[in-house]
Amino acid sequence: MSAAAAMSRVVPPATTRRLLAGLRADTRAVAYAEHVDRYGRVPSTTGNELIELVGDAGLRGRGGAGFPAATKLSAVRESRGRPVVVANGAEGEPPSGKDKVLLAYVPHLVLDGAALAARAVGARYVVVAVGDVLLPHVRHALAERRAAGADRGLTLRVVAVPDRFVAGEETALVRFLNGGPALPAFTPPRPFERGVGGAPTLVQNVETLAHIALIARFGADWFRGAGTPDEPGTALVTLSGAIRNPGVYEIELGQTLRQLIDDAGGPAADVQAFLVGGFFGTWLSGRDAAGARLSDGDLSRYGAALGARAIVALPTSACGVAETARVARYLADESAGQCGPCVHGLASLADGLEQLVRRERHVDHGLVRRRLATIAGRGACSHPDGAVKLVASAYDVFETEFERHLQKHRCTGRGGGVLKIPAGAAI
């Protein structure tokens, strides 16, 4: 059967269930033969055609920064030298599990997207970067593809990266693949100029690549059939905390947070606040979150963004100050250790918050808040800014709780550990 004939019998996924449309009821990984039967083989689009399709679709990166995918592809394609593609599945965000779900259960969508991106930029070498838990899953998927004669002309291999919060940052990933520590680099050149082995390198989140695999098959108009005009498509979100059915959900960008919670069975307890965007995210009060729509444009009204697309519901039985202190300590411990604001500033900030949680009477609360201003914008990478954003939002949302800790040395929280460290979806 010709490729055109095979594609003619492929039915596009539903409007709002696309990446997860092929999940098996028995939760086993979709085999390559099943994948091809559902979607057909990788389309034979040219590099320019694919980049134009991705641009027309309006796809933005799903790794957190939201950079236009077509712009990134074009920059690598136009660089000098034979490029390398890195599929970034190094999901170091503790409350996030979306990339793990893709690679464990529908890996061939990701690998199709990686192959398409490689051909679009002229690469012959693809690295799939994952944590240790995903190594056997990706190795099995690659073996299936080799046995089926897929990905001709390309070399694909999987590499395990350290289980660290900063390891998935693109410069840290390139540094690690070049034999160095998995820590961010803060001086040029950028990866698209000179990355793995000194070659121009496309580092793209695995969810972004999975979307590319579908856009290449079904087109830009189909992709824009979901989402908003400014933020088209669907996205994977990890929902946890006080939720009846926590897990990874595929949402239409622009839908309400209330709708997502309803789809997850509703809250499991009274909820006082939501952490939106992961550990570099923003606390939203239950009142604000009730009407919030899940798009960066709408969330910006609250000083928030989807970020790592991890959302945690905090029950009234937990203490927002204590949970924020736990995350601040985690981020301080996960510092790259390459600048003063990270090494000293974040540790000092975590110390002050923990003293509040312990209800120590000598805490200089003003000093704790002043640290936010002295850290922001002064780091070698975005790590300290992300921590400051989280803590600053906590002061807004949990103002009464902070005052109770400070003035009365009391804590009303009866629960703890809502923001599991580490956490993520079980594989």
Side-chain angles (χ1 to χ4, degrees):
M1 179 182 293
S2 69
M7 283 303 298
S8 69
R9 63 182 175 83
V10 174
V11 179
T15 301
T16 57
R17 189 172 173 86
R18 298 174 167 186
L19 299 174
L20 303 183
L23 284 182
R24 294 172 55 104
D26 60 8
T27 68
R28 288 192 294 122
V30 174
Y32 184 66
E34 295 175 273
H35 171 77
V36 171
D37 187 59
R38 175 180 290 273
Y39 296 111
R41 293 187 180 273
V42 177
S44 56
T45 54
T46 67
N48 287 333
E49 287 172 342
L50 181 72
I51 292 173
E52 185 176 352
L53 263 179
V54 172
D56 290 345
L59 174 64
R60 291 181 173 271
R62 299 296 198 248
F67 195 76
T71 302
K72 210 168 186 181
L73 287 163
S74 295
V76 175
R77 181 179 173 84
E78 294 166 5
S79 296
R80 294 184 177 182
R82 177 71 68 179
V84 172
V85 170
V86 177
N88 187 358
E91 193 169 33
E93 181 78 31
S96 181
K98 69 181 187 70
D99 296 341
K100 297 180 183 71
V101 164
L102 278 177
L103 288 166
Y105 302 121
V106 286
H108 295 293
L109 269 184
V110 175
L111 298 173
D112 280 358
L116 283 160
R119 290 167 187 165
V121 302
R124 294 175 181 167
Y125 184 56
V126 176
V127 179
V128 186
V130 300
D132 282 335
V133 69
L134 288 168
L135 271 178
H137 298 274
V138 179
R139 282 175 177 158
H140 179 74
L142 291 176
E144 286 185 305
R145 295 173 78 88
R146 283 192 294 270
D151 309 318
R152 295 187 187 279
L154 293 175
T155 299
L156 289 85
R157 74 182 184 99
V158 60
V159 173
V161 300
D163 185 21
R164 290 203 59 191
F165 187 83
V166 298
E169 194 274 336
E170 67 172 20
T171 62
L173 201 50
V174 166
R175 202 170 171 184
F176 175 73
L177 293 173
N178 281 335
L183 300 175
F186 45 89
T187 57
R190 303 300 296 173
F192 78 89
E193 298 169 314
R194 190 162 71 245
V196 176
T201 300
L202 175 73
V203 182
Q204 199 67 276
N205 172 260
V206 295
E207 184 188 339
T208 312
L209 293 171
H211 282 294
I212 288 175
L214 294 180
I215 291 169
R217 288 173 165 93
F218 306 118
D221 290 342
W222 167 82
F223 183 76
R224 286 185 171 276
T228 72
D230 293 333
E231 298 176 53
T234 64
L236 299 182
V237 172
T238 311
L239 186 61
S240 63
I243 298 296
R244 291 191 185 279
N245 299 305
V248 175
Y249 290 85
E250 187 165 9
I251 66 164
E252 183 174 2
L253 289 170
Q255 76 174 61
T256 63
L257 176 56
R258 186 193 302 275
Q259 181 183 340
L260 171 60
I261 294 167
D262 288 344
D263 290 343
D270 291 337
V271 176
Q272 59 174 311
F274 291 87
L275 178 60
V276 177
F279 283 3
F280 278 179
T282 304
W283 285 109
L284 296 185
S285 69
R287 181 184 63 256
D288 287 340
R293 293 188 175 274
L294 297 175
S295 71
D296 286 339
D298 194 77
L299 289 171
S300 66
R301 296 190 298 144
Y302 307 99
L306 283 171
R309 290 164 174 80
I311 299 175
V312 185
L314 186 74
T316 54
S317 61
C319 172
V321 178
E323 294 293 339
T324 302
R326 294 178 69 243
V327 178
R329 174 58 63 193
Y330 171 82
L331 293 175
D333 290 345
E334 288 292 300
S335 161
Q338 299 182 124
C339 68
C342 240
V343 174
H344 305 297
L346 293 192
S348 179
L349 183 63
D351 287 344
L353 289 171
E354 288 173 343
Q355 289 168 357
L356 272 176
V357 172
R358 292 193 297 267
R359 302 183 289 283
E360 295 182 9
R361 297 182 180 276
H362 65 278
V363 178
D364 184 344
H365 189 52
L367 177 60
V368 176
R369 298 202 68 163
R370 289 194 297 274
R371 287 185 182 118
L372 296 175
T374 61
I375 296 170
R378 291 176 168 82
C381 70
S382 62
H383 191 77
D385 286 348
V388 165
K389 179 183 177 183
L390 172 85
V391 176
S393 71
Y395 274 104
D396 292 335
V397 173
F398 305 119
E399 181 179 7
T400 301
E401 193 67 25
F402 271 103
E403 288 300 320
R404 187 177 291 112
H405 276 268
L406 184 66
Q407 303 297 336
K408 300 182 179 180
H409 306 286
R410 290 171 50 198
C411 175
T412 58
R414 299 184 303 279
V418 176
L419 308 181
K420 294 179 173 59
I421 305 173
I427 300 300

